[in-house]
Structure formats: structure tokens, C-alpha cells
Amino acid sequence: MDLGEQNLNLDILEEPEEIKIDEQDEAFLKSDGVRKISFGGPDGRDVKLQPFNTHRQVAAQKLGMEFFNMGEEALEEFQERETYNGIFQDAVIVVYLCAHPVSLAKKALRVPAKVMGEALNWAEKAGVLVGNEKHSELIAAFGDIIGDIIASVAEIDETGMQSADDSLGK
């Protein structure tokens, strides 16, 4: 028996050792994918972004988020160019809502004009200006959230994979 045949001898394989995860490893695994921005918190500290859940999505629409109202042609342009008219305002709305407790989203449903003013003041106080580093970070965080939305609405074909066509276009 040559070396190649010895490596293929399945009788000598042992059961895999059970992997044990300690508390530190578990915390690390659970933190994977957590988004943060390096501005907007008290004293300029990093802010952990909360999920863009149902309350935040509805609040974003109430605050005038353009992304949800884009037609197929505009969506295709966005997917090609990774930008669209109104992306800055949408990014401020979504990241502001995700940087604060869900109670803020509930407040936005009651008094949208007031919360929109607060969001703009938050971005201005944080120093977010089109073209600067904080703007880039804001747009990147927003892009991650929108990417999650696009992935979550993709239709699944009979193989269990995303089909080429989905509810947001190709």
C-alpha cells in the first residue's frame, strides 16, 4: 500500500474531538458582525449600532427614507453605482436610529419632524460633512445595513440558494 492509500484508509480515523467554547470565545463569536461608528456617542466615543429592526424601519420611512421608495430602475442604478440621490439623508436617518435606543424610533412615529431635526443636529455635532472621514464611515455603516436588507429579501429558489431574480430586481 502506497502513501496515498494509507491516507485514505478510513478505518484508522478517530472520532473528532468535541470543541468546547469558553465564555470569552462565546463573547467573541457573538460580537462578530457588530457594527460600530467612531462618532456620535457622548464625548465622541464609539457607538454600537443596534439592529435595523421593524420599529426602526417604519420610523425611517416616516422620517422620509428614500431607499424604500426607489423604483426598479433607481435600484439597478444604486446596485451599479453604490449611490443614489438622497443617500446622505437616508444614511443619517438610519444610522441615527440604529445608534439610539428603540424608544427613539417610537418617538419618530409620533413626532417625525422633531426627530428628523434631532438626527440632523446629531450628524452636524458629530462633524459629519460630505466628503470627510466621518461621512465615509456613516455611508459604510448605512451600506452594510442596506446590504443586509437586500440579502434578506432575496428570493430563495428550489435549491435553497438565492435566485438570480429577487423582489428588489436583478
Side-chain angles (χ1 to χ4, degrees):
M1 180 178 340
D2 69 17
L3 186 59
E5 289 176 308
Q6 285 178 346
N7 287 338
L8 294 175
N9 187 347
L10 299 178
D11 293 334
I12 63 170
L13 292 178
E14 296 177 13
E15 286 291 320
E17 192 175 312
E18 185 178 333
I19 298 172
K20 295 185 180 175
I21 298 175
D22 64 17
E23 288 180 32
Q24 271 188 317
D25 290 337
E26 188 173 352
F28 174 78
L29 292 171
K30 285 182 179 177
S31 71
D32 186 35
V34 173
R35 293 181 183 94
K36 290 184 180 181
I37 53 172
S38 65
F39 60 87
D43 304 323
R45 289 182 284 156
D46 288 1
V47 175
K48 176 182 171 187
L49 298 181
Q50 303 299 315
F52 193 51
N53 63 12
T54 303
H55 282 93
R56 289 183 179 95
Q57 289 177 31
V58 173
Q61 286 178 292
K62 188 81 169 180
L63 294 175
M65 185 173 171
E66 296 286 329
F67 179 80
F68 291 127
N69 298 320
M70 290 184 358
E72 187 175 337
E73 190 174 302
L75 181 63
E76 288 175 8
E77 180 181 348
F78 166 64
Q79 289 177 322
E80 272 182 36
R81 296 180 45 223
E82 297 182 357
T83 191
Y84 59 92
N85 289 335
I87 194 170
F88 180 65
Q89 176 179 308
D90 283 1
V92 169
I93 290 169
V94 170
V95 175
Y96 179 69
L97 289 171
C98 291
H100 291 83
V102 76
S103 59
L104 180 78
K106 292 176 182 179
K107 178 181 172 183
L109 296 174
R110 292 188 315 275
V111 285
K114 183 174 182 170
V115 173
M116 188 63 203
E118 292 170 0
L120 294 173
N121 289 337
W122 169 82
E124 187 171 336
K125 183 179 177 184
V128 178
L129 298 170
V130 174
N132 73 6
E133 187 176 324
K134 290 180 182 178
H135 172 262
S136 297
E137 188 176 354
L138 177 87
I139 296 296
F142 174 68
D144 288 345
I145 293 166
I146 292 302
D148 289 348
I149 292 170
I150 291 171
S152 73
V153 298
E155 293 179 10
I156 306 299
D157 67 14
E158 60 278 354
T159 67
M161 301 299 291
Q162 288 182 352
S163 65
D165 298 321
D166 62 37
S167 61
L168 291 177
K170 296 199 184 267

